[in-house]
Amino acid sequence: MPNGNIVVTEERGTRVITLRRPGKKNAITQEMYREMSRAIDTAQNNPDIRCMIITGGSGVFTAGDDIDDFMQADSNSETLSDGARFLYSLALNVKPIIAAVDGASIGMGTVMLFHCDYVLASTAATFSAPYIHLGLVPVGAASLLMPNTMGYQRAFAMLVMGRTFTAAEAHAAGFVNTVVSAGHTEVEARKVAREICRLPAEAVATSRRLLRAAPEDLTRRIDQETHLFGERLKSDEAIAAFNAFANRKKR
């Protein structure tokens, strides 16, 4: 059902979570984090839901956190708690998640992909986690998952240098399974979902659990990163970066 900027639908055993805020390039607000968490959490004990798809629709995945929304929230409460709740939902999730990325995937948009099980990207997709440019550090267990998935050097380039990866580079790095034509990610994601839904559910769940990092390792790293992120928000570097952003918005 539509719910603000997050639309949740179900189709043939698959729950589809769609970010729908096109005027803001699907930038994620605290309310959107809460809605996505709810969509993931309520699927956990529902046997009718065999897998999930996260998509931003055609032309964009997400620009990451809505900076205006982020700056208005208190750095010690809502900004971190809603994002952390969403990250915990991803870390503790037991159902396969497919991501359909058609366009820019920035910040949390890229981080969440490392919690997904199958990622489709269009040739127009780009990926970045430029927290460094705001004087901040990685979130969402990215400092654990990214080096494990694509190697230290590539993770350094993305997380410490703030570089952007193309779809081809993301595929070569191993965090994108398949690259498809622009506008076709959702169609292809539904094909993958149907393939997963035809498989024995318990065997899928057990195999997935064996392949993935232990949830307690993920939540421990999320907690560590969240603490450091909160400290960095108060740093001179971050304050200067956010002030510069606010001044650009006023021009």
Side-chain angles (χ1 to χ4, degrees):
M1 295 292 294
N3 198 327
N5 300 124
I6 298 295
V7 178
V8 180
T9 57
E10 291 178 17
E11 173 187 319
R12 300 182 184 180
T14 299
R15 175 165 288 181
V16 182
I17 304 169
T18 303
L19 287 78
R20 187 168 293 173
R21 199 183 179 211
K24 294 289 186 177
K25 299 181 179 178
N26 290 339
I28 306 171
T29 64
Q30 304 309 303
E31 177 61 25
M32 291 168 71
Y33 277 130
R34 290 191 289 270
E35 291 301 321
M36 288 192 291
S37 293
R38 188 174 296 114
I40 293 170
D41 294 345
T42 56
Q44 300 307 296
N45 295 317
N46 186 340
D48 294 329
I49 299 173
R50 300 285 301 277
C51 70
M52 288 176 275
I53 295 173
I54 299 178
T55 178
S58 182
V60 66
F61 190 59
T62 173
D65 285 287
D66 182 301
I67 299 297
D68 289 332
D69 184 65
F70 184 93
M71 292 173 71
Q72 289 171 9
D74 183 88
S75 63
N76 292 316
S77 57
E78 294 300 322
T79 297
L80 296 179
S81 63
D82 290 322
R85 177 186 174 189
F86 173 64
L87 293 168
Y88 262 69
S89 295
L90 289 173
L92 300 175
N93 165 62
V94 299
K95 301 289 179 83
I97 299 181
I98 303 160
V101 184
D102 187 17
S105 178
I106 302 171
M108 186 63 78
T110 291
V111 169
M112 74 171 76
L113 301 179
F114 288 83
H115 291 272
C116 294
D117 303 283
Y118 198 102
V119 180
L120 296 105
S122 78
T123 51
T126 58
F127 306 86
S128 63
Y131 298 102
I132 197 74
H133 297 313
L134 291 172
L136 302 174
V137 295
V139 296
S143 62
L144 174 66
L145 294 172
M146 286 193 184
N148 287 349
T149 301
M150 58 182 178
Y152 174 83
Q153 285 77 12
R154 285 185 172 116
F156 183 92
M158 177 172 281
L159 292 176
V160 181
M161 299 177 72
R163 287 189 176 177
T164 298
F165 285 37
T166 65
E169 290 169 334
H171 183 259
F175 68 91
V176 164
N177 294 77
T178 307
V179 179
V180 300
S181 300
H184 288 78
T185 55
E186 282 195 46
V187 171
E188 295 302 320
R190 281 173 165 78
K191 291 180 182 178
V192 174
R194 288 195 291 272
E195 180 181 351
I196 292 172
C197 288
R198 287 194 295 267
L199 299 170
E202 292 182 10
V204 167
T206 302
S207 298
R208 180 183 183 276
R209 187 168 64 249
L210 289 169
L211 288 171
R212 298 187 65 82
E216 56 268 25
D217 292 339
L218 295 176
T219 55
R220 187 181 304 115
R221 184 59 64 93
I222 289 169
D223 290 343
Q224 180 185 11
E225 291 173 344
T226 298
H227 173 72
L228 294 171
F229 189 91
E231 288 188 340
R232 290 301 306 163
L233 278 173
K234 303 170 188 175
S235 70
D236 291 342
E237 290 178 334
I239 291 170
F242 278 95
N243 286 338
F245 174 83
N247 289 334
R248 287 197 301 272
K249 292 279 288 185
K250 292 176 182 176
R251 292 175 187 171

